[in-house]
Amino acid sequence: MDKRTVLRERFGFRSFREGQEALIDAILSGRDAFGVMPTGGGKSLCYQIPALLLEGLTLVVSPLISLMKDQVAALKEAGIPAAFLNSSLTAAQQREVLRRAELGAYRLIYVAPERLLTDSFLEFAAGQTISLLAVDEAHCVSQWGQDFRPNYRDIPAFVRRLSRRPVIAAFTATATAEVGEDVVRLLELRDPLRLVTGFDRPNLYFDVRRERDKTAWLKTYLEGHRDKSGIVYCATRKTVEQVCEKLRSAGFAATRYHAGLDDAERRENQEDFAYDRASVMVATNAFGMGIDKSNVSFVIHYNMPKNIESYYQEAGRAGRDGAPADCVLLFSPGDVITAEFLIQNGNEREQLDEALRVRLLIRDMKRLRQMQDYCKTDGCYRAALLDYFGEAHAPNCGCCGNCLQREEESAEEGEEEDITLAAQKILSCVRRVERKNGVGLGETMIVLILAGSRDKTLLAREYDLLPTYGIMRDTKRTLLHDYLRALVKQGYLRRPPGDYDVLITTEQAESVLFRQERVLWRHAVQKEQSTRQQKAGASGKPEAADQALFDRLRSLRSELARQAGVPAYVIFHDATLLNMANAKPASEAELLAVSGVGEQKAKKYGQAVLAVTAEWRQAQQAKKSSKAKKKEPQPPLRLTPEQLSRYVFQPEGVSMTAFARALTALKDENEPGALTGRQLSDRLLAEGLLTEETAETGRLRRRPTPAGEAAGILMTERVKEDGEVYSMVTLTEEAQRQLIARLSEGLVIE
Ligand code: ADP
Ligand code: MG
């Protein structure tokens, strides 16, 4: 076997990533190696592949239990015998691992640094041929780094106790020169191959935002990423508690992690996150190295970290699987004060001598300034990060927050629209509300007033008596929202401190209302999302047609993970599922060709995966052959009064289909249940509110009875785009209201 065969057959990958091959070659030729690669760069493979090709045993020094556990689980899944030795095992279990190891049961053993110099381990090691000693997270040896672990310095002493010196290979994501020097010197590497790969992570989107209300922003963001998982980093334990609590009470599956929690809770929360039981982890920087979770699709920094190394390492935990991921830092000036406090009062270095402490303090303050500079730059964020690590790069990445913003501004030049009239109407509306209430009003309600809605709350508060009521009823509501946001952005409206849900007019608004100031608009608000997604997310999503298959593969994976008792990403990475959903393998050979599927996994899960793709293919065929849409029967829709209260009444009336669809959209996405227009129509027919008659065309059609008309169900005429006139049963706002009320009282339409 050679390294390529191992890569393909065991790990299911077709090609090496940058740096991997050279490091593997060095190790195989007996040379020490020091690899610096970004998080997610693929360091593990650099020692796992040699472990399978070298004669004897490979020891991996790893700092954290969770890391070892994940890696060993992943290796076992790939059919590679491995074990770990750490304090999570009982004494009896540890003896059992050592006993089996002596029988040659494992290719790799992961071990905590504290264990190296213990008698039992030394005795074990003496009887083994250890061909490779891999040091993962090697920066732990350096006190310059964030995660200094004194026992990493025992490694050379351990090596000297062996009868034969193994090859030593060290790996880290920390790129600073100081740390690199320490690793080589303190681990006593001999003429190592030093390899630093590029630090760019093209699939990560970087942005810094100054949000007055970070929580509100966060909730909106999470709302848009419901099916994704991610991390929210906070500077202090207290902030973790607060943010986690707020997210939970807003209905998000959030969990927390910080050094103030006891071990058991930390472990449990970490697992909830790893196993996708909790989709958002709110944590301090204590939550870190120990996570190899590959499908983290966002890392939000609720506060600015202390330095760019930490930031890049933490943000880098997003998108390990290569799928597009977001890294957003929410900056506020208060963060600087917190960071300074943490630097000056950090007790991590209490045991160090005074002179060194002072040096570190000076260094840390300098790094903090560089971190601030990053937050304030209006240049390319990616460029700023790569500059910091001394790496060459294009002047602009074209896809970070700043680059996109700039692009929008220049691309939109000349396309400016004069929205003065709309602005006058809106500002005068907000102003009248202020006069009436003495306070401002939420964005949604302002839109309802402008649109002339018959919303219950609106009527109860008598906003329909305002002269501005309904003055923009011909403007689309989404556009009204855009206008409002544009007016906030341009400073005509603002959110008062302490109550960000409300909009009020500013002094500047007077110029528009009374001094004919013109208001121009560049649609930037609207475009922001779409451009960004196109740019940053080009490869991330399966084609629309494959989404269903992807979702099924995902639920198969959850099932398999539950059975095996491992996190889902240990079975297949998201990226692998995406590849499958695109390749739609029909045979084992085709499955093996999918990147991320090795022989062991094909053997173990191939049948289940192929069953899903086959079923999907059949379903596609069935769809094609029978034009009649035979959808899976859905149970009747059941909505809670709370869900029903989110229905937005349509004053212009809606068709039964549209109404049924809008109601179905109110339920939780993963809950079953649907209401169709047909079901609704049948029900109204049964109740005598509709009646059936034969039209001139000979087809049956339904129209409201007098009782139906009394209930607000009307026949209206519509004009199709091609000019054809047709009539349709319309539910007026009154009818919508009655139906919603009955549904709230427990009516179920089957
Ligand atoms: P690091 O330790 O450098 O942070 P990992 O070793 O955990 O990174 O690897 C990150 C991800 O990249 C893992 O999901 C791994 O399976 C994947 N990976 C590693 N090497 C390759 C490769 N050559 N091709 C495709 N995926 C790879
Ligand atoms: Mg790693």
Side-chain angles (χ1 to χ4, degrees):
M1 277 231 273
D2 65 355
K3 57 179 191 242
R4 284 191 178 274
T5 317
V6 175
L7 178 72
R8 199 176 54 241
E9 291 185 356
R10 293 306 185 91
F11 295 97
F13 299 133
R14 266 167 290 183
S15 52
F16 284 109
R17 291 217 184 127
E18 186 190 351
Q20 286 180 329
E21 197 167 9
L23 285 161
I24 291 171
D25 285 342
I27 295 170
L28 289 176
S29 75
R31 184 174 173 191
D32 282 359
F34 176 33
V36 183
M37 294 181 179
T39 311
K43 293 185 282 294
S44 326
L45 239 55
C46 299
Y47 56 82
Q48 290 169 344
I49 289 183
L52 290 171
L53 294 171
L54 292 168
E55 276 297 302
L57 182 68
T58 291
L59 288 184
V60 185
V61 179
S62 173
L64 293 171
I65 292 174
S66 55
L67 270 183
M68 299 189 206
K69 203 172 143 198
D70 261 22
Q71 295 226 3
V72 168
L75 287 169
K76 282 188 179 159
E77 277 301 315
I80 299 166
F84 56 74
L85 277 171
N86 60 42
S87 57
S88 74
L89 301 181
T90 63
Q93 287 172 323
Q94 295 183 16
R95 275 196 303 276
E96 180 61 13
V97 169
L98 288 176
R99 191 184 67 78
R100 284 157 165 253
E102 269 160 6
L103 298 173
Y106 308 117
R107 306 295 309 147
L108 297 98
I109 293 186
Y110 285 71
V111 57
E114 288 73 20
R115 188 162 300 262
L116 292 173
L117 295 180
T118 61
D119 291 340
S120 60
F121 193 74
L122 283 169
E123 191 187 325
F124 161 75
Q128 295 292 312
T129 313
I130 297 168
S131 30
L132 171 61
L133 179 72
V135 184
D136 205 2
E137 312 290 352
H139 60 279
C140 289
V141 79
S142 168
Q143 62 190 8
W144 294 108
Q146 302 294 312
D147 312 296
F148 178 42
R149 271 286 276 278
N151 289 102
Y152 262 65
R153 302 198 170 171
D154 294 343
I155 292 173
F158 169 75
V159 170
R160 277 192 290 275
R161 300 282 288 268
L162 299 173
S163 52
R164 209 189 85 195
R165 183 186 186 275
V167 174
I168 304 179
F171 301 91
T172 179
T174 304
T176 56
E178 295 152 333
V179 171
E181 286 315 313
D182 272 3
V183 169
V184 172
R185 187 170 53 84
L186 295 167
L187 294 179
E188 300 181 7
L189 301 184
R190 292 190 192 157
D191 176 35
L193 171 76
R194 289 178 146 207
L195 197 145
V196 183
T197 65
F199 259 63
D200 187 18
R201 299 275 309 278
N203 62 320
L204 299 187
Y205 164 80
F206 291 98
D207 198 8
V208 178
R209 306 186 65 99
R210 292 159 181 261
E211 295 294 332
R212 281 173 173 240
D213 186 346
K214 295 183 180 184
T215 323
W217 183 88
L218 190 56
K219 284 186 196 162
T220 312
Y221 179 88
L222 295 178
E223 199 58 62
H225 294 77
R226 279 253 178 211
D227 55 340
K228 297 280 172 31
S229 68
I231 307 172
V232 178
Y233 276 112
C234 306
T236 64
R237 297 176 192 182
K238 194 167 142 215
T239 316
V240 168
E241 295 291 336
Q242 287 165 349
V243 172
C244 184
E245 192 41 49
K246 281 185 199 160
L247 294 183
R248 277 190 195 157
S249 56
F252 294 102
T255 188
R256 57 189 181 159
Y257 192 105
H258 59 67
L261 303 173
D262 63 47
D263 282 354
E265 185 180 349
R266 278 211 304 259
R267 199 169 334 120
E268 198 174 304
N269 295 353
Q270 173 159 351
E271 289 205 342
D272 282 346
F273 180 62
Y275 285 72
D276 297 322
R277 292 187 290 261
S279 56
V280 185
M281 170 58 89
V282 187
T284 59
N285 60 4
F287 184 69
M289 276 195 308
I291 41 156
D292 261 0
K293 188 174 165 66
S294 66
N295 61 339
V296 172
S297 40
F298 54 85
V299 172
I300 310 294
H301 277 78
Y302 197 85
N303 304 107
M304 180 187 71
K306 286 182 277 187
N307 55 55
I308 293 183
E309 277 93 349
S310 309
Y311 178 63
Y312 202 62
Q313 207 148 69
E314 287 158 14
R317 296 190 175 118
R320 271 176 188 248
D321 55 6
D326 292 340
C327 306
V328 182
L329 195 166
L330 302 179
F331 174 77
S332 62
D335 292 343
V336 181
I337 298 162
T338 311
E340 272 173 9
F341 179 85
L342 290 173
I343 288 171
Q344 269 153 12
N345 297 278
N347 54 5
E348 310 142 21
R349 308 207 174 96
E350 261 165 15
Q351 74 272 40
L352 304 180
D353 69 66
E354 182 63 24
L356 183 56
R357 261 217 308 269
V358 171
R359 262 172 77 202
L360 289 174
L361 184 67
I362 293 168
R363 178 200 68 172
D364 287 349
M365 294 306 285
K366 178 173 162 218
R367 289 186 178 177
L368 177 61
R369 270 199 310 280
Q370 289 170 308
M371 183 77 242
Q372 276 170 267
D373 291 346
Y374 171 79
C375 291
K376 292 178 181 167
T377 182
D378 56 4
C380 170
Y381 288 124
R382 192 181 307 277
L385 290 168
L386 293 175
D387 271 344
Y388 184 85
F389 293 112
E391 190 167 318
H393 56 78
N396 294 303
C397 73
C399 57
C400 67
N402 276 347
C403 283
L404 290 183
Q405 168 114 28
R406 207 168 325 112
E407 207 171 277
E408 260 155 30
E409 281 165 10
S410 59
E412 297 294 328
E413 215 107 58
E415 276 184 41
E416 268 180 345
E417 199 182 315
D418 187 330
I419 59 161
T420 310
L421 190 61
Q424 284 168 344
K425 288 179 181 171
I426 292 169
L427 295 174
S428 116
C429 179
V430 177
R431 188 157 260 252
R432 285 182 194 272
V433 173
E434 281 166 19
R435 289 255 176 77
K436 182 170 154 57
N437 288 355
V439 290
L441 202 55
E443 184 177 314
T444 313
M445 187 54 79
I446 296 171
V447 168
L448 291 177
I449 298 173
L450 290 165
S453 156
R454 308 295 299 166
D455 178 90
K456 224 190 311 185
T457 323
L458 184 156
L459 297 178
R461 300 206 191 144
E462 300 188 329
Y463 292 136
D464 57 331
L465 304 180
L466 293 171
T468 47
Y469 174 76
I471 46 169
M472 297 183 83
R473 60 173 94 241
D474 296 331
T475 309
K476 269 198 177 165
R477 290 189 187 183
T478 50
L479 188 58
L480 289 177
H481 280 285
D482 290 339
Y483 283 156
L484 278 170
R485 283 177 212 143
L487 292 174
V488 172
K489 211 169 173 182
Q490 300 191 23
Y492 297 110
L493 289 174
R494 69 182 176 88
R495 300 176 195 276
D499 190 0
Y500 295 111
D501 288 339
V502 159
L503 289 176
I504 55 177
T505 53
T506 62
E507 240 173 81
Q508 207 187 324
E510 311 216 334
S511 317
V512 178
L513 288 170
F514 311 118
R515 292 189 285 279
Q516 276 88 43
E517 180 169 309
R518 284 211 315 147
V519 182
L520 301 174
W521 180 46
R522 276 189 180 141
H523 298 256
V525 185
Q526 252 183 340
K527 278 194 141 185
E528 192 169 358
Q529 271 297 334
S530 58
T531 329
R532 189 180 95 43
Q533 271 159 9
Q534 279 161 16
K535 290 264 179 174
S539 61
K541 276 251 157 70
E543 323 271 296
D546 303 346
Q547 182 71 46
L549 178 55
F550 179 70
D551 290 343
R552 275 192 219 176
L553 289 167
R554 225 171 34 181
S555 52
L556 170 68
R557 178 180 65 175
S558 316
E559 188 55 45
L560 296 171
R562 246 196 313 280
Q563 280 166 16
V566 295
Y569 59 88
V570 167
I571 306 274
F572 289 121
H573 292 307
D574 280 11
T576 309
L577 290 191
L578 278 174
N579 296 338
M580 282 183 197
N582 284 322
K584 307 175 191 64
S587 65
E588 187 163 329
E590 284 179 26
L591 180 64
L592 274 169
V594 171
S595 172
V597 183
E599 278 184 354
Q600 180 72 14
K601 295 211 174 158
K603 218 182 288 165
K604 235 166 139 178
Y605 305 125
Q607 204 181 337
V609 171
L610 292 175
V612 168
T613 53
E615 191 186 305
W616 180 84
R617 201 168 292 115
Q618 271 170 9
Q620 289 299 101
Q621 229 125 50
K623 237 190 243 169
K624 259 185 225 157
S625 55
S626 75
K627 281 257 165 68
K629 289 180 264 164
K630 267 197 217 138
K631 284 206 189 132
E632 286 178 48
Q634 283 266 18
L637 183 67
R638 289 170 204 275
L639 295 171
T640 63
E642 200 268 324
Q643 287 169 323
L644 285 164
S645 71
R646 278 187 241 135
Y647 177 75
V648 182
F649 287 97
Q650 302 298 317
E652 312 86 329
V654 280
S655 71
M656 285 186 287
T657 312
F659 184 68
R661 203 178 293 140
L663 289 185
T664 305
L666 295 175
K667 79 178 160 74
D668 285 346
E669 221 173 329
N670 30 22
E671 295 248 277
L675 175 66
T676 62
R678 184 72 196 186
Q679 287 170 328
L680 179 59
S681 172
D682 287 349
R683 173 79 193 201
L684 298 177
L685 186 72
E687 289 183 359
L689 298 172
L690 292 179
T691 176
E692 213 159 43
E693 58 175 31
T694 316
E696 301 97 73
T697 56
R699 283 173 54 185
L700 279 179
R701 73 171 185 194
R702 293 175 178 182
R703 57 163 38 258
T705 60
E709 284 179 4
I713 306 171
L714 302 178
M715 206 66 179
T716 56
E717 299 225 304
R718 304 267 157 145
V719 186
K720 281 196 197 163
E721 262 169 22
D722 59 11
E724 196 192 331
V725 179
Y726 68 106
S727 46
M728 140 185 136
V729 177
T730 301
L731 305 173
T732 61
E733 197 168 8
E734 177 56 27
Q736 296 164 40
R737 209 169 282 291
Q738 288 190 15
L739 281 165
I740 294 279
R742 292 177 61 198
L743 289 165
S744 300
E745 283 158 20
L747 168 70
V748 176
I749 302 174
E750 308 198 24

